[in-house]
Amino acid sequence: MIPKAVRIVEVGPRDGLQNEARIVPVSARIRLIGDLLAAGCRTIEAGSFVSPKWVPQMEGTAEVLSAFKHRTDASFPVLVPNEKGFDDALAAGAKEVAIFAAASETFSRKNINCSIAESMNRFASVAGKAKQHGVKLRGYVSCALGCPYEGGIGAEAAVRVARQLHELGCYEVSLGDTIGVGTPERARNLVRLVAGELPLGAIAVHFHDTYGQALANIYACLEEGVTVIDSSVAGLGGCPYAKGASGNVATEDAVYMLNGLCITTGIDIKAVAKAGQAILDLIGKTNQSKVASALLSSS
Ligand code: HMG
Ligand code: MG
């Protein structure tokens, strides 16, 4: 049942850097993505087209995207919260965008300043435009296993949002444990329930590692047949609207476990660890990846 290959969606340049107190210059974001490409990453979230008043860290995403327009061998999805974001992304040459809804009403308001129902109306407009322009559409369900404001979230809320995003045309829906509170059986149960509504191949998982459960959760989801995993180089990040949340599972840690399971990813683990260390040196942070720390100290 465990898959033979997994696609890693590297979210460090977006989910990681959006949460850094220090705004990382566009040139360093471009260098990081270049290093990740050289390490074999082929899906790299390049940034977001959101309000710079809300998330100033992601200003300049158009410039980041344009640096990679020649790279037809990789995808560079960008987050868009509304039509304006989509229009800006399209003008910058985006071929794939991600819309992001939440399973929690309060989080939806804090993150994108509207209710879940309103967000779905906005996303329907984005989806219509994406279809018209041949832009691929990915979707996120934030707070799928818990909310920083409301606490527990019933699985049915996450399943409903996942179904709605898929119906809007998302080829893939990523189940986000935004604050990393999930545990393996809850993660497994959620995947099972979502797989009752959309194809298994359309489900991705996105675990933040706040409570150190991300790898265990991923393993449980692999056992359910999930083949797409979001991760962040060096475990960078958090969420600006989820205080105290850690970054995603580190790409290096996920790839090390997948390598041990003989699951191919196409990623060179040492090269990805070096890419992560280079950006950490720039922003002055310590590595959140145990695997990267071990590999880099032994080489
Ligand atoms: P709002 O203030 O309600 O927007 O924000 P508005 O429509 O009232 O417009 C106000 C101003 O924002 C206007 O400018 C608009 O032009 C501008 P002004 O007239 O004042 O000069 N504006 C924009 N500017 C740039 N790009 C845009 C855009 N839209 C409006 N797209 C809005 C609503 C959605 C824009 C805001 O709340 C926002 O940008 N939120 C983004 C928050 C965010 O990026 N959060 C992090 C990503 S989610 C996440 O990390 C979770 C995830 O990883 C999954 C998981 O972990 O579970 C995905
Ligand atoms: Mg996230």
Side-chain angles (χ1 to χ4, degrees):
M1 193 61 196
I2 278 193
K4 290 192 164 48
V6 152
R7 184 163 61 87
I8 293 283
V9 176
E10 170 56 58
V11 297
R14 193 278 304 172
D15 206 341
L17 299 186
Q18 76 180 8
N19 198 45
E20 286 308 320
R22 181 173 160 196
I23 294 180
V24 176
V26 164
S27 58
R29 291 163 64 189
I30 291 173
R31 196 173 331 124
L32 171 62
I33 294 175
D35 289 349
L36 292 166
L37 282 166
C41 298
R42 287 296 174 267
T43 309
I44 305 174
E45 224 169 47
S48 51
F49 287 89
V50 298
S51 162
K53 285 186 190 133
W54 287 61
V55 186
Q57 291 88 339
M58 290 291 102
E59 212 171 357
T61 293
E63 221 182 305
V64 173
L65 263 189
S66 80
F68 297 99
K69 49 175 185 265
H70 60 291
R71 290 298 298 248
T72 49
D73 59 333
S75 313
F76 304 98
V78 287
L79 261 57
V80 299
N82 51 20
E83 273 194 69
K84 170 164 174 47
F86 180 84
D87 292 344
D88 292 350
L90 187 69
K95 306 256 183 317
E96 178 168 345
V97 297
I99 50 182
F100 48 110
S104 149
E105 278 297 345
T106 314
F107 187 84
S108 183
R109 288 196 179 278
K110 299 267 187 195
N111 194 37
I112 50 174
N113 207 20
C114 65
S115 68
I116 298 171
E118 284 165 332
S119 76
M120 286 302 169
N121 287 335
R122 292 181 189 177
F123 294 144
S125 311
V126 171
K129 284 195 160 183
K131 193 169 178 197
Q132 185 192 338
H133 293 279
V135 171
K136 281 179 84 177
L137 188 67
R138 193 172 196 254
Y140 278 104
V141 184
S142 294
C143 300
L145 291 168
C147 168
Y149 309 104
E150 295 182 16
I153 294 289
E156 65 287 351
V159 173
R160 187 170 51 244
V161 172
R163 187 182 54 236
Q164 288 172 331
L165 290 172
H166 191 245
E167 283 169 0
L168 283 182
C170 293
Y171 75 95
E172 187 168 282
V173 176
S174 183
L175 304 175
D177 185 7
T178 318
I179 52 168
V181 289
T183 46
E185 285 313 302
R186 290 192 57 227
R188 180 197 303 284
N189 183 51
L190 181 63
V191 165
R192 278 190 188 162
L193 291 171
V194 174
E197 304 278 340
L198 43 147
L200 192 54
I203 300 174
V205 290
H206 179 106
F207 292 110
H208 285 258
D209 202 26
T210 317
Y211 287 81
Q213 304 296 299
L215 279 181
N217 292 342
I218 289 172
Y219 189 82
C221 295
L222 289 171
E223 285 189 325
E224 292 304 308
V226 167
T227 57
V228 186
I229 295 170
D230 298 359
S231 64
S232 174
V233 65
L236 281 173
C239 175
Y241 297 97
K243 286 211 172 356
S246 302
N248 294 85
V249 65
T251 304
E252 299 89 322
D253 296 2
V255 170
Y256 184 85
M257 181 178 81
L258 294 167
N259 284 349
L261 292 164
C262 300
I263 298 173
T264 57
T265 60
I267 292 175
D268 175 338
I269 195 165
K270 277 205 172 161
V272 92
K274 284 185 185 157
Q277 195 54 49
I279 188 77
L280 290 175
D281 289 346
L282 186 91
I283 60 180
K285 282 192 78 172
T286 50
N287 212 314
Q288 298 302 304
S289 164
K290 289 199 165 177
V291 168
S293 303
L295 285 176
L296 295 170
S297 64
S298 68
S299 63

